[in-house]
Amino acid sequence: MDLFQWITIGVVVIMIIVFLLIPNHTPFQCPKCGQTFVPKKAQLLGIHSYGSHMLKCPHCGKTSMMPPAGRE
Ligand SMILES: [Zn+2]
């Protein structure tokens, strides 16, 4: 591989590391019990669509599609 390919791979790797290091601050509200919680970033990499994420509620233990809290 030439130098340009190594630089491209390096930039992509750095972007992924930076993305993973920034913690998630977006709270989500459980539709089952109404509690809000801030899930870990790794949890947000799972199933999601239209801004809602498949998350497990730490309060009641139910797993369901949850929209970010504060957005109706
Ligand atoms: Zn809940």
Side-chain angles (χ1 to χ4, degrees):
M1 286 202 292
D2 60 28
L3 183 62
F4 181 75
Q5 286 175 304
W6 280 112
I7 292 171
T8 304
I9 292 169
V11 169
V12 170
V13 169
I14 289 168
M15 283 172 65
I16 293 170
I17 291 171
V18 168
F19 174 80
L20 291 175
L21 285 178
I22 299 170
N24 170 53
H25 293 297
T26 306
F28 284 79
Q29 184 171 30
C30 174
K32 308 284 188 211
C33 67
Q35 296 277 354
T36 57
F37 63 99
V38 179
K40 290 188 176 65
K41 194 140 203 173
Q43 293 179 270
L44 298 178
L45 297 176
I47 301 166
H48 60 91
S49 64
Y50 301 109
S52 294
H53 291 259
M54 184 70 86
L55 296 168
K56 185 178 181 183
C57 175
H59 299 284
C60 64
K62 297 281 195 301
T63 300
S64 57
M65 293 299 286
M66 301 184 192
R71 201 181 67 180
E72 297 303 318

